[in-house]
Amino acid sequence: MSPPVAPPGWSRWLVPPAALSVHLSIGQAYAWSVFKPPLESALGLSGTQSALPFQLGIVMLGLSAAFGGTLVERNGPRWAMTVALVCFSSGFLLSALGAATEQYWLIVLGYGFVGGIGLGIGYISPVSTLIKWFPDRPGMATGIAIMGFGGGALIASPWSAQMLESFGGDSSGIALAFLVHGLSYAVFMLLGVLLVRVPRTEKPVESGPSVLAGPQVSANQAIRTPQFWLLWIVLCMNVTAGIGILEKAAPMITDFFADTSTPVTVTVTAAAGFVALLSAANMAGRIGWSSTSDLIGRKNIYRVYLGVGALMYALIALFGDSSKPLFVLCALVILSFYGGGFATVPAYLKDLFGTHQVGAIHGRLLTAWSTAGVLGPLIVNWIADRQEEAGRHGASLYGMSFIIMIGLLVVGFVANELVRPVHPRHHVPQPKEAGHVQRQQSESA
């Protein structure tokens, strides 16, 4: 499938909606916590076990993005979006079969493994194309698309909660909800497949910068630079801190205020409402903070994500259980930084490595997300389970987790401070330089 080239007069503003149709669909992953309580009840799972499909999905997201990034660059966004559609929808259908037959391993295989591949390929499918269409505003462009991934749960959370209430929270009701998700998202993602285009020229904006302006670094060279691995640490730490709250959001808010005079009612609707609120912050952070990075720079915006994020965790750990508004506000800020970090990193990569193979580089960097997808939920769920076994309850289930998150954010802050411009020895030769080298070789021959 060859990349579809935009005809003359094609508006670049049609590309973000194509990206959004894919990202809004795969962003359902952030609503997984709505399914956790029903699955635990219907199949007799622990909190750690019910997190496994989500964790594996994030692992496969990073791995498929890393190994498929070069294929996405070579075959173009339409090919990538088609692969994402097939895998993501098939994952839901397998999960539906697993829930209907009460075979939990099928849910892990479907949602986690197969669906996770769809997550990874779908996530990176429009990024390189958007940066090429918007070389003048890369932070804003990637923020618009990746905003959809953060906002997907804003749609999926109440939708899933309504289906579970209508179909029932038993295994057959969960299976039917998975089935509806798989079929609906297939139709919606098809819109992106049909609409996406790549630019005809290196300067899609009249009087704008060329997409190949500045230093260019190949994907193979990028992973040999310290800048790549410093950004890997930055992304991993920021994601771990955010995903720990997001994956455990629904049960966390009920546990946190269980011993107070104003407990949160344990219902699917209340849990979904909190998840949806966090998703709104996640979505707003992706477009708001990434657009701000076009004005103040990528390093400065990551100083905000990591430094202020550590402060928010400290406030929750110290005072969160005494004030519900403070807990919710800090959680919203942390999730906005979490989303902003994802949306800003493609532009950060473009600044450091150019647009030559930015999609492939971005895909390889997302292995940090795979690592964080295991670390974040594992830290929060494992410590909460151990604390519960020790007889503790309420906010004390999460105190140690929050201290760990603060430490990880400090590590990320230090890594961001160490980022410097890439050394010229890693740059791809410019056309003039390449021609000069070729002439020299001819003369020597």
Side-chain angles (χ1 to χ4, degrees), residues 360-377:
I361 298 171
H362 183 225
R364 296 180 187 191
L365 190 76
L366 290 181
T367 53
W369 192 357
S370 295
T371 304
V374 174
L375 282 179

Side-chain angles (χ1 to χ4, degrees), residues 155-311:
I155 299 170
S157 292
W159 184 34
S160 300
Q162 183 60 50
M163 280 194 286
L164 289 171
E165 288 195 355
S166 300
F167 303 151
D170 57 0
S171 58
S172 61
I174 297 170
L176 191 53
F178 283 154
L179 177 63
V180 173
H181 275 306
L183 297 177
S184 301
Y185 285 133
V187 174
F188 196 59
M189 293 172 76
L190 184 61
L191 298 176
V193 172
L194 298 176
L195 191 60
V196 73
R197 299 288 188 278
V198 296
R200 297 176 61 86
T201 67
E202 292 180 7
K203 296 185 70 173
V205 187
E206 188 175 352
S207 302
S210 167
V211 299
L212 296 177
Q216 304 292 323
V217 182
S218 69
N220 287 336
Q221 279 296 315
I223 62 174
R224 295 183 173 92
T225 65
Q227 287 82 357
F228 177 89
W229 295 106
L230 287 169
L231 278 187
W232 192 98
I233 293 171
V234 167
L235 184 63
C236 185
M237 299 300 100
N238 193 56
V239 172
T240 300
I243 209 168
I245 283 185
L246 192 58
E247 188 275 335
K248 190 77 170 177
M252 181 182 290
I253 193 169
T254 58
D255 289 338
F256 223 82
F257 295 96
D259 298 332
T260 69
S261 58
T262 56
V264 176
T265 306
V266 186
T267 65
V268 172
T269 303
F274 182 55
V275 173
L277 194 60
L278 292 179
S279 298
N282 187 355
M283 180 175 63
R286 290 173 187 246
I287 182 61
W289 294 122
S290 61
S291 297
T292 303
S293 77
D294 286 335
L295 303 175
I296 69 173
R298 320 303 171 197
K299 178 176 280 192
N300 285 333
I301 202 69
Y302 271 95
R303 285 169 174 152
V304 174
Y305 298 155
L306 299 159
V308 179
L311 177 61

Side-chain angles (χ1 to χ4, degrees), residues 46-76:
S46 68
T48 302
Q49 289 174 321
S50 67
L52 184 57
F54 176 81
Q55 288 176 286
L56 181 58
I58 299 302
V59 169
M60 293 309 302
L61 185 158
L63 293 178
S64 60
F67 290 105
T70 303
L71 289 174
V72 172
E73 288 285 316
R74 183 185 305 148
N75 297 325

